[in-house]
Amino acid sequence: MTTIELVQVSKKFGTLEVIPPLDLKIETGEFVVFVGPSGSGKTTLLRIIAGLETASSGQILLGGKDVIKLPSAKREMAMVFQSYALYPHLTVGQNIGFPLKMAGVARAEREARVIKIAETLNLSPYLDRRPSALSGGQRQRVAIGRAIIREPRAFLFDEPLSNLDAALRATMRLEIMELHHKFNATMIFVTHDQVEAMTMADRIVILNQGRIEQTGSPMELFTHPVNQFVAGFLGLPRMNFIGGEFAKSYGVKTIGIRPESIALSSGPAAIDHPKFSVEVGVIERLGADSFAHISDSSLGKMTMRLEGDSPIRYGDRIMIELNPEQFYRFNAEGLTIGSPIIRPITSVHEGVVTTINNKKRKRL
Ligand code: ADP
Ligand code: MG
C-alpha cells in the first residue's frame, strides 16, 4: 500500500478547465472519500490517479515517486466501478483469478489465492457459479475480489454501490469498511452520496466544480464547515438556511441551523432565544426520529427533528425556539464567520493517539 500525492494537478477538456490545479496528499492506509455533486470532477480526478486519463498539468506521486508518465497498468491500482464488468461466461472463481491468469501466475498458486480471497469476501459457496446466478451484492464482491487479488498499491472505487438497493448498500458499506481494516488498504472512494461519505471516510474531500472545498474527518466537516456549500452538503436532512431580516439582525447574510438544533418551545424561552409560532407541513417518520417540514413568514421553510412518536401532526401550529449559540453564520461570499459553539471536537485538543493492530491512529 502506498501514499498518493497530487501536486498542482489540473484537467482541461479542450478549453474547458474542469479541474483547476489542486493539491492533495493521501496517507498509507487512509480511507478517503471524494464527495460532491454530479459533474464536480470526482470521476475525472480518480481516472487521472489511475492513469486512465492524462492530467493537463501537475504531478502524481505514488510512494513519493512521480508516476505521471506511467501507464495505468504499471501504477498497480485496483479500480472498482459502478458497473461490475464481470465476464459472464466465466465462473466466480475464474473471474476473481483472471488478473493472475493474465499475469501468468501458475494454476496452483492462482487457485490457492482465489480460495483465500473468496473466504475473505464470503464467496466460497459460489466459486463455481456464473455471475448471472448471483445477487447484485455478490457480483459487487466478485468485482472487489478481482481487484484485491492483484495486491494493488491502492483501491479506487467509483460509485460502486449506486446500483444496489438501499439495504444492500448499507451492508456493502460495512463490508468495504471491514476490508479496509483487514488489508490496511489505501482507498479512495468516490460518491455523490453524503451518507456514504460520512459513514465510511477517515477523511472526506468535498469537491465542487473541480475545486476542493474542504477536507477533514466527517465530524470535523459536519461541525466546522468552512463555507455554506459544505454546511449544506453534509447532514441529513440538510442544514436550514435563513436569510433576510432575521440574518441581518445578527449582522450576517445567512444563518444556518441544523434540523436537530431547532427546539420545541415549552414555557418561556431563554432571554436571547428567539421564539416563533410555525405551521407544520408534512412529517417524515423514520422510526426513532421524525422530520417535520415547518414554515413561518419570517423564517421561510425549514426542517426540524422531532421524536419518532411525536404527537405533532400535519396542519398543527407549534412554538419553536432557536438557540443562537447553535447558529452557523455566513457572510455574503458564503464563508463561515467565526465558529459555532456546537459540540467542539475534543480529540483535536487532546490529540489522542492509541495503537490498535500496530496501526497508529491518525491525529486529527
Ligand atoms: P463527477 O464524477 O463528479 O460526476 P466528472 O469527473 O465525470 O464528474 O465530470 C467533471 C466535468 O468534466 C463535467 O462537467 C463533465 O461534463 C466534464 N467531462 C468529463 N469527461 C469529459 C470528457 N471526456 N470530455 C469533455 N468533458 C468531460
Ligand atoms: Mg462520476
Side-chain angles (χ1 to χ4, degrees):
M1 290 294 157
T2 185
T3 54
I4 300 171
E5 194 172 356
L6 310 187
V7 184
Q8 291 293 296
V9 167
S10 73
K11 180 67 185 176
K12 280 185 186 165
F13 286 112
T15 54
L16 182 71
E17 188 177 54
V18 296
I19 299 178
L22 62 76
D23 295 314
L24 179 68
K25 181 156 189 206
I26 296 168
E27 301 295 340
T28 302
E30 198 174 17
F31 195 140
V32 170
V33 175
F34 291 175
V35 69
S38 177
S40 56
K42 307 180 294 294
T43 294
T44 303
L45 203 51
L46 201 68
R47 287 172 56 83
I48 290 173
I49 294 170
L52 298 171
E53 192 80 71
T54 50
S56 304
S57 72
Q59 289 178 304
I60 296 170
L61 311 177
L62 298 185
K65 288 214 181 87
D66 190 358
V67 296
I68 206 96
K69 293 204 173 73
L70 276 192
S72 181
K74 294 246 169 80
R75 295 193 193 178
E76 296 169 40
M77 309 259 206
M79 255 192 106
V80 180
F81 301 93
Q82 183 177 343
S83 62
Y84 322 128
L86 301 177
Y87 302 106
H89 58 289
L90 300 183
T91 64
V92 166
Q94 288 164 338
N95 265 287
I96 295 175
F98 192 78
L100 297 184
K101 191 168 181 184
M102 288 293 97
V105 175
R107 189 187 182 121
E109 186 191 337
R110 225 160 61 208
E111 287 183 356
R113 277 167 69 181
V114 167
I115 285 170
K116 200 158 162 247
I117 294 282
E119 269 169 24
T120 317
L121 292 167
N122 299 321
L123 286 170
S124 305
Y126 314 111
L127 279 174
D128 295 327
R129 285 201 197 169
R130 296 270 157 83
S132 57
L134 298 176
S135 69
Q138 288 164 342
R139 284 180 211 178
Q140 185 60 261
R141 291 209 291 272
V142 175
I144 291 171
R146 191 178 52 186
I148 291 172
I149 202 154
R150 283 187 300 158
E151 299 180 1
R153 303 177 74 189
F155 289 94
L156 310 178
F157 292 92
D158 193 0
E159 311 239 6
L161 309 184
S162 304
N163 280 346
L164 308 177
D165 65 51
L168 195 53
R169 263 205 314 271
T171 313
M172 287 304 295
R173 278 208 309 260
L174 298 179
E175 289 190 11
I176 291 173
M177 288 158 79
E178 188 70 42
L179 275 182
H180 170 245
H181 290 297
K182 269 188 197 160
F183 291 90
N184 191 19
T186 308
M187 289 187 172
I188 305 178
F189 187 102
V190 160
T191 180
H192 64 274
D193 178 352
Q194 63 92 22
V195 173
E196 283 177 13
M198 286 295 289
T199 54
M200 298 176 85
D202 288 330
R203 192 152 57 102
I204 296 177
V205 174
I206 299 203
L207 288 164
N208 182 25
Q209 298 183 338
R211 289 171 214 279
I212 296 179
E213 294 278 355
Q214 191 173 5
T215 70
S217 72
M219 286 312 287
E220 233 176 315
L221 266 49
F222 184 78
T223 53
H224 294 79
V226 293
N227 58 34
Q228 198 173 344
F229 180 85
V230 176
F233 198 81
L234 296 181
L236 194 71
R238 66 194 296 260
M239 184 183 282
N240 300 293
F241 294 114
I242 312 167
E245 289 305 315
F246 182 76
K248 237 189 235 167
S249 69
Y250 288 90
V252 292
K253 179 78 177 161
T254 306
I255 280 177
I257 185 149
R258 294 210 184 268
E260 55 274 25
S261 299
I262 300 177
L264 274 174
S265 187
S266 50
I271 189 128
D272 59 345
H273 289 196
K275 257 176 109 159
F276 298 88
S277 161
V278 299
E279 194 178 326
V280 178
V282 292
I283 300 178
E284 298 172 271
R285 306 246 176 220
L286 299 180
D289 306 307
S290 296
F291 291 99
H293 296 262
I294 56 178
S295 57
D296 168 83
S297 55
S298 61
L299 299 176
K301 290 185 173 175
M302 302 209 291
T303 310
M304 76 178 287
R305 186 195 161 275
L306 298 172
E307 293 302 314
D309 58 358
S310 166
I312 293 169
R313 293 284 179 268
Y314 179 92
D316 285 353
R317 219 163 228 292
I318 56 174
M319 286 302 287
I320 61 162
E321 183 177 332
L322 304 177
N323 178 355
E325 282 192 352
Q326 300 189 333
F327 288 172
Y328 292 80
R329 295 157 202 248
F330 304 100
N331 67 16
E333 285 76 50
L335 299 176
T336 309
I337 305 170
S339 65
I341 318 173
I342 296 177
R343 291 182 293 257
I345 307 168
T346 49
S347 52
V348 164
H349 309 298
E350 290 165 6
V352 182
V353 177
T354 18
T355 306
I356 297 174
N357 296 337
N358 297 323
K359 179 184 163 190
K360 264 204 173 165
R361 279 265 171 94
K362 281 170 286 293
R363 256 168 206 276
L364 283 176

